[in-house]
Amino acid sequence: MLGRFLLISISILISNVAFTTHSLAEAKSSDVCTFTQVNSGELVTQRNTLPTKLVNSHDAGGYPTEVSVTCKQPARLSVLNLIQVAGPKFNPISSLVSIETHQGASTSRGSSPLSLPRGTTPLKIFLSIDKGSPLEAGNYRYDVNFIITRK
């Protein structure tokens, strides 16, 4: 059985160096689920002298993006990819997007889709982006693309 696929792009507005935060007031929606960004998160560099990696984990001093997703019916969410949309451009040597809920997690590295029940589910989105060489100072912004499949 083939479900209907829908690509949802959630802008993750994050910053580096200036440490400013933004919020996304608009909701992204489909015929199955609606996404609303609750907290834009904060992307920080690793605590090295010449950092090469951007992360938004608590242990590094950042915080994850929080999104509220409301589904009209049970669905599955998969991470498709991460796209840099602002900041000094670079091609990462590795990147990882991890989506967590109270029920489980899904990553951009081919893990199983995350089951979303009918109703509202809070999501936490964790990022790790490694340039492989020292990062330039600047404000970075990324979009995360998801695939929503009906159950």
Side-chain angles (χ1 to χ4, degrees):
M1 176 173 126
L2 295 176
R4 289 183 57 197
F5 289 97
L6 176 67
L7 179 66
I8 299 289
S9 175
I10 300 293
S11 287
I12 299 180
L13 303 176
I14 46 189
S15 65
N16 177 35
V17 182
F19 299 115
T20 59
T21 59
H22 305 81
S23 60
L24 181 68
E26 66 189 76
K28 305 283 183 172
S29 64
S30 72
D31 60 336
V32 178
C33 299
T34 300
F35 294 80
T36 305
Q37 188 171 24
V38 176
N39 180 335
S40 62
E42 185 172 10
L43 191 66
V44 297
T45 59
Q46 284 180 312
R47 297 179 185 186
N48 298 355
T49 304
L50 296 172
T52 65
K53 189 184 279 188
L54 299 167
V55 295
N56 67 349
S57 60
H58 293 290
D59 58 340
Y63 54 92
T65 299
E66 296 176 13
V67 174
S68 178
V69 59
T70 303
C71 296
K72 297 174 188 171
Q73 64 186 63
R76 291 187 180 98
L77 178 137
S78 298
V79 178
L80 184 60
N81 60 6
L82 178 70
I83 300 168
Q84 183 179 0
V85 294
K89 298 287 183 197
F90 67 90
N91 291 320
I93 61 169
S94 72
S95 64
L96 176 67
V97 178
S98 177
I99 309 294
E100 295 182 3
T101 69
H102 298 298
Q103 293 86 18
S106 182
T107 70
S108 56
R109 293 200 177 140
S111 65
S112 298
L114 187 61
S115 290
L116 298 174
R118 181 177 179 196
T120 301
T121 304
L123 305 177
K124 287 189 179 184
I125 304 171
F126 293 91
L127 304 177
S128 176
I129 305 122
D130 191 351
K131 181 180 178 186
S133 61
L135 291 160
E136 294 179 46
N139 292 325
Y140 294 84
R141 183 173 146 206
Y142 289 84
D143 283 350
V144 176
N145 291 318
F146 303 113
I147 294 176
I148 296 292
T149 309
R150 296 175 193 250
K151 272 190 165 177

